[in-house]
Amino acid sequence: MTRGLKAGVILGLAAMSALPTGTFLAPPAMAQAALSPAVGKPLQAAQNAAKAGNTAAALSAVDQARAAAKTPAERRAVSQMAAYVHTRAGNFARAAAELEAIGAPASQLAPLYYQARQYDKAIAAAQKSGQTTIIAQSYLQQGKAREAAAIYEKMVAQNPNNLNALQNLAGAQYKMGDKAAYMATTAKLIRLDPTPDRWRILLVDMKNEPMSREAKLALYHLMDQTKSIRTQAEVEDFAKNAIVSNQAGFAEKVVKDAMASGVIPADSALGKKIIDASSKRAADALRTAPADARNPATAMSAGNAFLGAGRYAEAAAAFAVAEKGPAGDQATLFRGISTVRNGDRAGARPIFDSIKTGPLADIASLWSLYASTKGF
């Protein structure tokens, strides 16, 4: 996408981390018979302290055990516990250093190097252990999006339904600036998982990008249609845009629904103010809408009034008239939205697809994608 593409990057980065912060190495298994009490007891204390979040006490106990360690097995156990404590504290570089010292396998070191932002080391270790996702993620962090995309493309070719690989491929394609590839990957993701959460990942930040009022209103309609509006600020912004665009009836509906679902407090003063203002404006707009719908110069206003009132068939007819006037693609886009809301997804797709260029093309393509999916 153009402006929308930037906001959609989160879709491709959602599964970036191989070892997310807060995910720890498992506590080392301590064979007490192989450890002297002078080593085993402080190591157990270190583990307990680390689990409780007391890093200073845990490291102090590790130091005590290290000073007492005499055999290779004891020194190995101390380093393993030290690495565990450091991962609990988010000190991944120090954890990796502890494990390096005892010759830990590459499969264990690679994710620690990645979290420590030692990407060259992460790549080298992951190449030895076959952890291709870490290789690709490290490439992305180094700004080598094309190399990362090549890895994800192979992963997707092996498993076309791998959502994590598709997410990361989309992220790499975004960083490459490959709009066509990004949109194709996004479409696959949505078709595989057309859930509200998936749509929200795609849409939530787009509303903050520079765009026309008409594009933003259409975006909010899509967020509403995909049940991905989650905050009071989003509801209020949607309502304000709807009122300004003569869709006051829809503003009233959105706020009432939000109050009923708890997104907006039932006693919200601003919510009640929006409802009161919307109700009067909606009634005024509907009085002139039937006459306005016959004139291409005024049919856009009529279509908005009908859409706001939930009279979708009449809205689509008015927008069709408006397309002959100055409204152009704006009327076409909202004719498609009205057609979807009237229950005719198949009929809406060619309407959206007819908007091939211009400032509304990106949002029209997303509405077309929605119209092609099943579910809600």
Side-chain angles (χ1 to χ4, degrees):
M1 302 175 86
T2 51
R3 292 185 290 263
L5 176 61
K6 180 179 179 183
V9 66
I10 193 172
L11 180 68
L13 302 180
M16 277 277 296
S17 177
L19 182 64
T21 300
T23 299
F24 316 116
L25 292 174
M30 293 182 294
Q32 294 295 338
L35 302 177
S36 66
V39 174
K41 288 182 178 179
L43 288 188
Q44 187 62 61
Q47 179 175 316
N48 294 338
K51 286 182 177 179
N54 191 342
T55 302
L59 290 177
S60 178
V62 167
D63 289 341
Q64 181 183 345
R66 199 188 303 273
K70 304 299 182 184
T71 68
E74 287 179 337
R75 287 190 285 270
R76 184 176 185 84
V78 170
S79 290
Q80 289 175 333
M81 183 59 70
Y84 169 71
V85 172
H86 285 309
T87 59
R88 295 284 305 193
N91 298 323
F92 298 105
R94 294 184 67 181
E98 288 284 353
L99 295 180
E100 282 175 354
I102 59 173
S107 60
Q108 195 173 22
L109 290 169
L112 293 174
Y113 289 142
Y114 177 81
Q115 285 291 3
R117 301 182 182 179
Q118 298 174 349
Y119 300 122
D120 286 336
K121 283 187 172 184
I123 291 169
Q127 286 172 337
K128 292 179 182 178
S129 57
Q131 293 166 289
T132 53
T133 299
I134 292 179
I135 298 171
Q137 291 167 352
S138 297
Y139 279 143
L140 275 179
Q141 294 299 320
Q142 292 178 324
K144 299 176 181 178
R146 193 168 299 278
E147 289 88 338
I151 294 174
Y152 291 130
E153 284 169 356
K154 290 180 182 178
M155 294 173 69
V156 171
Q158 293 170 355
N159 182 1
N161 296 335
N162 185 333
L163 293 177
N164 285 340
L166 285 166
Q167 286 174 342
N168 284 319
L169 176 57
Q173 290 165 338
Y174 160 75
K175 289 193 171 183
M176 291 165 56
D178 190 339
K179 172 184 174 180
Y182 172 83
M183 285 303 298
T185 303
T186 298
K188 289 179 183 177
L189 273 167
I190 293 294
R191 290 192 177 99
L192 285 170
D193 183 30
T195 59
D197 286 343
R198 180 71 59 186
W199 274 106
R200 182 166 175 80
I201 290 172
L202 176 60
L203 300 175
V204 66
D205 285 336
M206 289 179 64
K207 60 184 170 53
N208 297 322
E209 294 297 305
M211 66 180 70
S212 68
R213 186 181 70 243
E214 294 77 21
K216 177 170 282 192
L217 181 58
L219 176 63
Y220 272 126
H221 271 286
L222 184 54
M223 290 183 71
D224 179 67
Q225 190 73 19
T226 57
K227 298 177 172 55
S228 55
I229 292 179
R230 307 281 172 82
T231 71
Q232 180 170 341
E234 289 166 353
V235 172
E236 291 173 355
D237 196 31
F238 184 7
K240 290 173 185 176
N241 275 276
I243 290 172
V244 172
S245 297
N246 206 40
Q247 295 180 11
F250 214 90
E252 181 180 2
K253 173 186 179 299
V254 167
V255 173
K256 284 183 175 179
D257 288 347
M259 285 179 162
S261 65
V263 174
I264 291 180
D267 60 352
S268 168
L270 180 57
K272 292 178 179 178
K273 183 176 180 180
I274 291 174
I275 290 173
D276 291 342
S278 299
S279 180
K280 183 178 186 307
R281 287 181 180 229
D284 291 342
L286 281 174
R287 275 195 289 271
T288 62
D292 290 343
R294 295 190 290 270
N295 185 341
T298 57
M300 187 70 200
S301 179
N304 283 328
F306 286 134
L307 175 58
R311 293 160 60 172
Y312 302 126
E314 293 170 274
F319 287 131
V321 174
E323 288 179 82
K324 301 171 186 177
D329 284 349
Q330 179 185 346
T332 302
L333 177 60
F334 281 94
R335 178 163 68 93
I337 292 172
S338 299
T339 303
V340 168
R341 289 196 177 278
N342 200 41
D344 185 6
R345 292 194 185 194
R349 283 195 66 190
I351 299 174
F352 295 127
D353 292 343
S354 69
I355 305 175
K356 301 183 183 301
T357 60
L360 300 179
D362 285 346
I363 186 63
S365 70
L366 290 175
W367 265 102
S368 179
L369 175 59
Y370 171 77
S372 71
T373 61
K374 296 180 180 179
F376 56 93

